[in-house]
Amino acid sequence: MNWKFWNKDKSKDKKKKVKKSAGREWFDAILFAVIAATLIRGLFIEAYTIPTGSMEKTLLVGDFLFVSKVNYGARMPITPVSFPFAHHTMPVTGTKAYWDGIQWKYRRLPGLSKIKRNDVVVFNYPMDADAPLSRPVDKRENYIKRCLAIGGDTISIINAQVFVNSKPAEVPEFGEKYYKVQSDGTEFNPQTLEDMHIEAQRSAEDEYFFNMTGADAEVVKKWANVKSVTRYVAPSDLQIFPHSPNHPWSADNFGPLIIPKEGWTVKLDSASYPLYERAITLYEGNKVERAGNNFVINGKQTSTYTFKMNFYWMMGDNRDNSLDSRYWGFVPEDHIVGKALFVWMSWDANGSFFNKIRWSRILDGIH
């Protein structure tokens, strides 16, 4: 018997470690970084930038913000085959950055909370479902707005004041609205308007339209050359949802309208169907045939419809410069991306060399 069993048998071939080439090490490092970044962006947090002024002055053009996927629960990929870090369009070439030949069902991980009224939310733009883009849900353009109403709420707007369930909605602290300003004929100081970040348009010799916050309007009222300041109220407009002469609404006089909720049943008729047609057919994927007030949904005649998803009503804080739910209707639950948390960087393209960065906005929370 060999009592030296602990000795290695030198007669056996030993496996030698092969050192990776520099190219292989770089490939492994890049692959790991791509996978890690994709998981972080998809499941936890993602950076976005503000390209338009629809949320001013709450969010400014050039703000860079972090959006949490955890708060509402991360949405699982619906279009799994796509190019990393490209949303829907490839840079330079402008071609599609995804293949929609495979489409998975909508699923979402459990979140920390539900969407609440007044949350600032990032979501996919519902109208990108239409031709010529016809994009899948998770490849539609990213929008950011404030959630004014959730599923089950009744929303209405009366003379530019939003009401939710018959109660006045909270007015965003930095939200802007057009005001008609009547002057005594004296021109306003451009530097003062610039310092207050007021966008001014002259409509007559002594009449202006100022886009400003309510607090700014109170300041302007006290100016010596100002005769009156009145909030602008938009007229009826068929561009307003649901684009029907039966509902001659405007951006400032709208509704009442019930926001669909999972499990809510609506009675279908000539008045209600235009309001919910898109949600029933496109967003919830039903085939509807209609003859007058007779409805056949997925081959079955019915006079009602029960919703499968929750829907939301989103509006910009810059009320007269925002393309929002007043124009295109509800935001379905499966379009929700995440909750805006805070601004991590803010860049003013129009600022001077030393004032390009808005230092006061860095790490500023979003309310």
Side-chain angles (χ1 to χ4, degrees), residues 54-65:
S54 70
M55 283 294 290
E56 288 186 347
K57 296 178 184 176
T58 306
L59 295 171
L60 304 180
V61 174
D63 279 353
F64 295 82
L65 51 139

Side-chain angles (χ1 to χ4, degrees), residues 75 128 148:
R75 181 182 61 188
D128 275 3
L148 268 289

